[in-house]
Amino acid sequence: DPKIIQKPKYLVAVTGSEKILICEQYLGHNAMYWYRQSAKKPLEFMFSYSYQKLMDNQTASSRFQPQSSKKNHLDLQITALKPDDSATYFCASSQDGGGAGYTFGSGTRLLVI
Amino acid sequence: GQQVQQSPASLVLQEGENAELQCNFSSTATRLQWFYQRPGGSLVSLLYNPSGTKHTGRLTSTTVTKERRSSLHISSSQTTDSGTYFCAMERGTGGLSGKLTFGEGTQVTVIS
């Protein structure tokens, strides 16, 4: 069973619309993150949350808003979508101080048309 | 800023051959993790190796933090090993920050 569930797996959105990407982890981790993988670019860190609090934000645009309703949830709301937002968005988690590194979800592939 | 450079950019192997992927990073005091991704696929953690040598299956990673480098050795390659291998580093000595900096990856193709 997948330990990090991301929904939906694929998403097509119209320019200017708003979408929410869902992420739930069942690893018991206290920290969760979002990364983005655009075409021909390395994966880029976006946000980190620890115990449902924002720790770091490397996303310049306020159109990207993480939402954490529970310790094991970290959704990503994207407003006023643009074609440049097209990418695969990965959720990840870790246990602070642990020696196992990071676990990534399977990603949500977003296409903005 | 932090940079991660991987080499080679791509690699073609005959099934059964071994391969060594290299990762060099610009910062010290790092933690390093190797990942694997199939085209359009999820990112799978292979080895978390902040220092020293670690093994899993046919994979061996050696990280020399002082020299800012890590390698991933694939032995007896199989066609199912085809995909992109990423190394990612994190700067820091405290708790995990989540701020991994990824390399651009090495695309591995294993042919039978």
Side-chain angles (χ1 to χ4, degrees), chain B residues 2-18:
Chain B
Q2 299 173 349
Q3 291 186 343
V4 178
Q5 294 178 324
Q6 292 187 242
S7 61
S10 62
L11 189 58
V12 178
L13 300 168
Q14 193 71 41
E15 194 170 27
E17 287 183 333
N18 300 332

Side-chain angles (χ1 to χ4, degrees), chain A residues 21-42:
Chain A
L21 281 54
I22 306 295
C23 178
E24 305 170 9
Q25 57 94 359
Y26 296 94
L27 294 160
H29 289 168
N30 63 288
M32 296 183 70
Y33 318 93
W34 279 101
Y35 281 78
R36 173 170 52 196
Q37 186 179 35
S38 304
K40 300 183 180 178
K41 284 186 180 180

Side-chain angles (χ1 to χ4, degrees), chain B residues 52-93:
Chain B
T53 299
K54 295 201 175 170
H55 308 270
T56 182
R58 294 179 292 104
L59 302 176
T60 301
S61 171
T62 299
T63 298
V64 184
T65 307
K66 286 185 179 180
E67 295 180 14
R68 304 181 189 178
R69 60 179 175 86
S70 182
S71 63
L72 181 69
H73 184 86
I74 306 172
S75 63
S76 303
S77 62
Q78 301 175 0
T79 56
T80 51
D81 295 333
S82 296
T84 304
Y85 292 77
F86 293 98
C87 71
M89 72 153 201
E90 175 188 12
R91 187 175 182 179
T93 56

